[in-house]
Amino acid sequence: MNTTPTTSHWGAFGVRHAADGSVEAVPHPADPSPSPLLGGVGGSLRHTTRVRRPAVRRGWLEHGPGPSAARGSEPFVEVDWDEALDLLAAELLRVRTEHGNRAVFGGSYGWASAGRFHHAQSQLHRFLNQYGGYTGSRNSYSLGTSLVLLPHLVGDAEAVLRAGSSWPTITANTGLIVAFGGIPEKNVYVTPGGVTRHSTPGHLAELAAAGTGIVLVGPLRADLPEDIDAEWLPVVPGSDTALMLGLAHTLLAERLHDRAFLDRYCSGFDTLAAYLDGSADGTAKDADWAARLCGIEAGRIRALARRMAAARTLVTVTWSLQRARYGEQPVWAGLALASMLGQIGLPGGGFGHGYGSMGDVGDTGPVLRLPFLPQGQNPVPDFIPCARISDLLLHPGEEFRYDGDSYTYPDIRLVYWAGGNPFHHHQDLGRLRRAFARPDTVVVHEPHWTASARHADIVLPVTTTLEREDLGGGRRDTHLIAMHQAVAPVGEARDDYAVLAGLAQRLGFEKEFTEGRSPRQWLRHLYTEWSSDLTESGIAHPPSFERFWADGEWQLPPGPEQHTLFAEFRADPVAAPLATPSGRIELASARIAAMQLPDCPGHPSWVEPEEWLGGAAAERYPLLLIANQPSTRLHSQLDTGAVSLAAKVAGREALQLHPADAAARGIADGDLLRVFNDRGACLVGAVLTDRVRAGVVRLPTGAWFDPVPGVEPPLCAHGNPNALTADLPSSRLSQGCTGQHALVQIERWPDDVPPPPVTVRHPPRFTADPRPSTVDRESHQ
Ligand SMILES: Nc1nc2c(c(=O)[nH]1)N[C@H]1C(S)=C(S)[C@@H](COP(=O)(O)OP(=O)(O)OC[C@H]3O[C@@H](n4cnc5c(=O)[nH]c(N)nc54)[C@H](O)[C@@H]3O)O[C@H]1N2
Ligand SMILES: Nc1nc2c(c(=O)[nH]1)N[C@H]1C(S)=C(S)[C@@H](COP(=O)(O)OP(=O)(O)OC[C@H]3O[C@@H](n4cnc5c(=O)[nH]c(N)nc54)[C@H](O)[C@@H]3O)O[C@H]1N2
Ligand SMILES: [Mo]
């Protein structure tokens, strides 16, 4: 092989070196469908936005730690590594002594990079545990709602999320897929930790070739490949629960539901039925009722319900539906709909969650635990559900509800982030800025000058995967990859591990942290432990570390091709009960009902969101923004690469809108637009398409947040939709992220006003060291 082996969240690849020193990402030879994101790797590696030296915010250096509204606007002072680590170690000691470990927020949510040893959060959490603990965060932005809800419904969220029916079982057996949120191909190139063979695009092509009936329920036609001849129901965003209830009502009213299945495998159906037929609250949730809310005609709803009852039907719900206000409801209602069809546990039928959300859902790779870095135990019990970061920083001492219990937000003095970009991922970035003004110190490890790095006090430059060695592989991957170092570290970048080892040394626990191992020694150690476990348990016989490293990869034992979610439970619900109070699928939950949460009732219910096209707020802000995953990058990663840059319009992130909505505002293709609501505004470039529902606009996440200085509420010159989204939880059950939807208005940017430039593709401002004792220090302007 004349390329250097490596892997990434968008797949395994080889690094090829060009004569001019640049690098190119070459697809892995075993990958049938390499990710388009590979084209973004070369350009972002040494982009001018790489953090080249440790940097400290001027005001922090001058006045010491303390709350500051200047975060995000003040220039930085570059310092050498020893000074940066001395300053940070002293601050970690101060905070621990004066405020205790719970005053350190180390949740550090984010995707970081592939690689089992250098995984940034694993490294940081191991370090902070040894430091005495930290306030952590739970769950994910991806699945914050379902991870809390599903255990109540089926006992185990992982069962649904990691053991969904396999694609080969679906393509062989399914007659009809009703896909709420579609099966977006753009998303399946991504799997956390990486994948060597992207198999889902091939399965989507099989579905197209087989002519399997597919109904796309969603506002964007692009959520299903165009070559699949699907029925498209362009539902009003946020109203899927109403549509599902209307379908369920039709099944009930026409006696198309499987009473025997409901009796044997489910509990709570009578409660749901009383809600559906209106005996509980006086309103029948019939197809006419649903049609008024979801924008799909009643006749089509009834016809679809009959078609579903007549076929082997799979009901799928993308993760996006739960990333919205009351996001529990469409997941629960989708499961209830599939239960009424009675096909859960039968090949090709039942329920699925996340087909088209992530590459490994439905994949047939083996489920093997890969080598991992032990993190130890966190002695501090405090945590937040991860999407409550602004509430945590703004409301110390306040109570919050989570999964039936009450907790209190600790008073955070130091925020430590490695491997995530909260100024990409969090909602209402104007509010997040106010929240980030509160702590004494904000520390960020970053390869790039992201918006989060720009809002920090201490920024430490770290390597990317190409600049270090690692072991790589993802859930259901077919290979373990020997990630060889491809290039020298950029600037003065160090590995997260080296940075934390340097701090541990200053804090007196270096031996504990490093265990005396170099990175290569860690890789050998983790690999060897893992490989002897596999050998002892008879699962497989991996080669020696030396062999594996020289080969560049090792092919893992294959997983089963055919798999049906809940097949064992279906075969014998007494011998293989679900871990719910009833042992069955809970279509009504006494536990959730007992929590008495108006925002999450005890059975699937229509709860009207504050911001949707059918509500009063749409009179002022009449367009529903879908802020979904980008097709041209991974979140904010690779936004400076060629693939992402090529898709910008008018120099900004592209916003898709329907020609009718454009005409009503005098907007033409390629125009510069301002999208706004009460929370903020963005500049974007217009792309007109009739593949979005009228009244809906799409602006994907991940354009680097670029707030125009001094403008409040924030105006992002680049088009990050989180300048517009609301910082509200899905409900007080789960406290999940709700970034997918926001109501907005749009106008053309006037021709005679020069638009604010995009500045975020340049490094921030640097300045001379302001401290009097160091007047003759070098400045790096
Ligand atoms: N409006 C809206 N917002 C959303 C969503 C939505 O649907 N709508 N989706 C949400 C979802 S599902 C998610 S998962 C989040 C994603 O949010 P994040 O995971 O925070 O997004 P990334 O851009 O992947 O951020 C990872 C950061 O880690 C850095 N990094 C990479 N490798 C390393 C490393 O080795 N060390 C260190 N220290 N840093 C590294 C990268 O440069 C990057 O800045 O966004 C959420 N935000
Ligand atoms: N290329 C690429 N792939 C990715 C990622 C990435 O950043 N880039 N991120 C990865 C991550 S971390 C995650 S968690 C997954 C996320 O997986 P998802 O959350 O499922 O992905 P999204 O693209 O945000 O949303 C999927 C589709 O749902 C539709 N949708 C939105 N609101 C509604 C609604 O109210 N009703 C209906 N019926 N449909 C609606 C949107 O049209 C959208 O395209 O994607 C993963 N895949
Ligand atoms: Mo995610």
Side-chain angles (χ1 to χ4, degrees), residues 109 111 140-143 190 319 323 357-358 629 634-635:
Y109 179 78
W111 266 59
S140 63
Y141 277 69
S142 316
L143 280 163
V190 166
W319 297 350
R323 205 173 307 111
S357 296
M358 203 65 83
Q629 311 303 310
L634 174 68
H635 317 130

Coordinates of all heavy atoms in Angstrom, one line a residue, residues 109 111 140-143 190 319 323 357-358 629 634-635, ligand 3:
Y109 N -19.2 17.6 25.8 CA -19.9 16.9 24.8 C -19.3 17.1 23.4 O -19.0 18.3 23.1 CB -21.4 17.2 24.8 CG -22.1 16.4 23.7 CD1 -22.4 15.1 23.9 CD2 -22.3 17.0 22.4 CE1 -22.9 14.3 22.8 CE2 -22.9 16.3 21.4 CZ -23.2 14.9 21.6 OH -23.7 14.2 20.6
W111 N -18.1 15.2 19.2 CA -17.8 14.0 18.4 C -16.2 13.8 18.3 O -15.8 12.7 17.9 CB -18.4 14.1 17.0 CG -19.7 13.4 16.9 CD1 -20.8 13.7 17.7 CD2 -20.0 12.4 16.1 NE1 -21.8 12.8 17.3 CE2 -21.3 12.0 16.3 CE3 -19.3 11.7 15.1 CZ2 -22.0 11.0 15.7 CZ3 -20.0 10.6 14.4 CH2 -21.3 10.3 14.7
S140 N -26.8 12.3 24.7 CA -26.2 13.0 23.6 C -27.2 14.0 22.9 O -28.4 13.9 23.2 CB -25.8 11.9 22.5 OG -27.0 11.3 22.1
Y141 N -26.6 14.9 22.1 CA -27.5 15.7 21.3 C -28.2 14.9 20.3 O -29.3 15.2 19.9 CB -26.7 16.8 20.6 CG -26.4 18.0 21.6 CD1 -25.6 17.9 22.6 CD2 -27.1 19.2 21.4 CE1 -25.3 18.9 23.5 CE2 -26.8 20.3 22.3 CZ -26.0 20.1 23.3 OH -25.8 21.2 24.2
S142 N -27.6 13.8 19.9 CA -28.2 12.9 18.9 C -29.5 12.4 19.3 O -30.5 12.4 18.6 CB -27.3 11.8 18.6 OG -26.0 12.2 18.4
L143 N -29.5 11.8 20.6 CA -30.6 10.9 21.0 C -31.0 11.3 22.5 O -31.5 10.4 23.2 CB -30.1 9.5 21.0 CG -30.1 8.9 19.6 CD1 -29.3 7.6 19.5 CD2 -31.6 8.5 19.2
V190 N -21.8 8.4 7.8 CA -21.2 8.7 9.1 C -21.5 7.6 10.1 O -22.7 7.2 10.3 CB -21.6 10.1 9.6 CG1 -21.3 10.3 11.1 CG2 -21.0 11.1 8.7
W319 N -34.0 9.9 14.0 CA -33.6 10.5 15.3 C -34.0 12.0 15.3 O -34.3 12.6 16.3 CB -32.1 10.4 15.5 CG -31.7 9.0 15.7 CD1 -32.5 7.8 15.8 CD2 -30.3 8.5 15.8 NE1 -31.7 6.7 15.9 CE2 -30.4 7.1 15.9 CE3 -29.1 9.1 15.7 CZ2 -29.2 6.3 16.0 CZ3 -27.9 8.4 15.8 CH2 -28.0 7.0 16.0
R323 N -35.5 15.2 18.2 CA -34.7 16.4 18.5 C -35.5 17.7 18.3 O -35.2 18.6 17.5 CB -33.4 16.4 17.6 CG -32.3 17.2 18.2 CD -31.0 17.0 17.4 NE -30.6 15.7 17.2 CZ -30.6 15.1 16.0 NH1 -30.9 15.7 14.9 NH2 -30.3 13.8 15.9
S357 N -30.3 7.7 9.9 CA -29.8 8.7 10.8 C -28.3 8.4 11.0 O -27.5 9.4 11.0 CB -30.4 8.6 12.2 OG -31.8 8.9 12.1
M358 N -27.9 7.1 11.0 CA -26.5 6.8 11.2 C -26.1 5.6 10.4 O -27.0 4.7 10.3 CB -26.3 6.5 12.7 CG -24.8 6.7 13.2 SD -24.3 8.4 13.1 CE -24.9 9.1 14.6
Q629 N -28.8 17.7 9.6 CA -27.4 17.4 9.5 C -26.9 17.8 8.1 O -27.6 17.6 7.1 CB -27.1 15.9 9.7 CG -27.7 15.4 11.0 CD -27.3 16.1 12.2 OE1 -26.1 16.3 12.5 NE2 -28.3 16.4 13.1
L634 N -19.1 16.9 8.6 CA -19.6 16.3 9.8 C -19.8 17.4 10.9 O -18.8 17.9 11.4 CB -18.6 15.3 10.4 CG -19.0 14.7 11.7 CD1 -20.3 13.8 11.6 CD2 -17.9 13.8 12.3
H635 N -21.0 17.8 11.1 CA -21.3 18.9 12.0 C -20.4 20.1 11.6 O -20.5 20.5 10.4 CB -21.0 18.6 13.5 CG -21.5 17.2 13.8 ND1 -20.8 16.3 14.5 CD2 -22.7 16.6 13.6 CE1 -21.5 15.2 14.6 NE2 -22.7 15.4 14.1
Ligands
MO3 MO -25.6 13.5 16.7

